[in-house]
Amino acid sequence: MLLYDYSKSTAAYRVRIALGLKDLTYQRETVSLLDKHQYSDAYRSLNPAGLVPTLVDGDVTLSQSLAIIEYLDERYPQVKLLPSDPVQKAQCRSLHSTLPVMCIHSITCEFCNT
Ligand SMILES: N[C@@H](CCC(=O)N[C@@H](CS)C(=O)NCC(=O)O)C(=O)O
């Protein structure tokens, strides 16, 4: 697995937290937001929105941190992150939908600086 990320991106590090909790092995490729590498043609071919993170797992390429985390939870269910009970799962999704995704150094991120 290869995670395209940026160390100060909260969207990327919540995927790193999920990968860590699930004890999954992965490689990291830094996409420097400071250097605007998210706008390169090469990166946009993976993630047309030009945002980190992007996860590549074999022939699967995924964007959006929460979609990535839910994919990981279903694809690698040995350690579960989401509860199986539908109500608890909905409450969990409701909670994470309310959490803003912000960069610690938000000046580097137009999308998170709102
Ligand atoms: N909803 C997206 C948000 C991704 C996002 O906004 N990432 C920020 C870093 S935290 C980014 O890549 N910003 C690039 C930019 O502002 O050009 C997710 O959860 O993955």
Side-chain angles (χ1 to χ4, degrees):
M1 254 185 288
L2 178 59
L3 178 68
Y4 290 84
D5 75 356
Y6 182 65
S7 59
K8 300 180 181 73
S9 159
T10 56
Y13 76 61
R14 64 185 177 184
V15 174
R16 294 201 302 273
I17 290 169
L19 286 160
L21 288 172
K22 293 176 90 62
D23 204 21
L24 293 169
T25 303
Y26 66 102
Q27 312 281 317
R28 290 174 66 183
E29 176 81 29
T30 295
V31 179
S32 172
L33 303 186
L34 277 178
D35 296 327
K36 304 288 182 195
H37 290 170
Q38 72 272 31
Y39 300 129
S40 69
D41 290 344
Y43 187 65
R44 278 192 187 256
S45 71
L46 294 170
N47 186 322
L51 298 172
V52 292
T54 300
L55 183 79
V56 177
D57 185 17
D59 57 2
V60 174
T61 301
L62 294 170
S63 59
Q64 291 294 334
S65 58
L66 296 179
I68 293 170
I69 289 168
E70 292 206 14
Y71 163 78
L72 290 172
D73 213 28
E74 292 177 6
R75 176 70 182 79
Y76 302 100
Q78 293 79 358
V79 176
K80 289 296 287 174
L81 299 178
L82 284 170
S84 54
D85 175 75
V87 174
Q88 291 179 346
K89 190 182 285 188
Q91 289 169 334
C92 187
R93 286 180 171 137
S94 171
L95 177 64
H96 66 50
S97 298
T98 64
L99 296 176
V101 174
M102 294 180 291
C103 288
I104 292 169
H105 294 280
S106 57
I107 193 166
T108 64
C109 179
E110 300 163 20
F111 292 91
C112 299
N113 200 17
T114 55

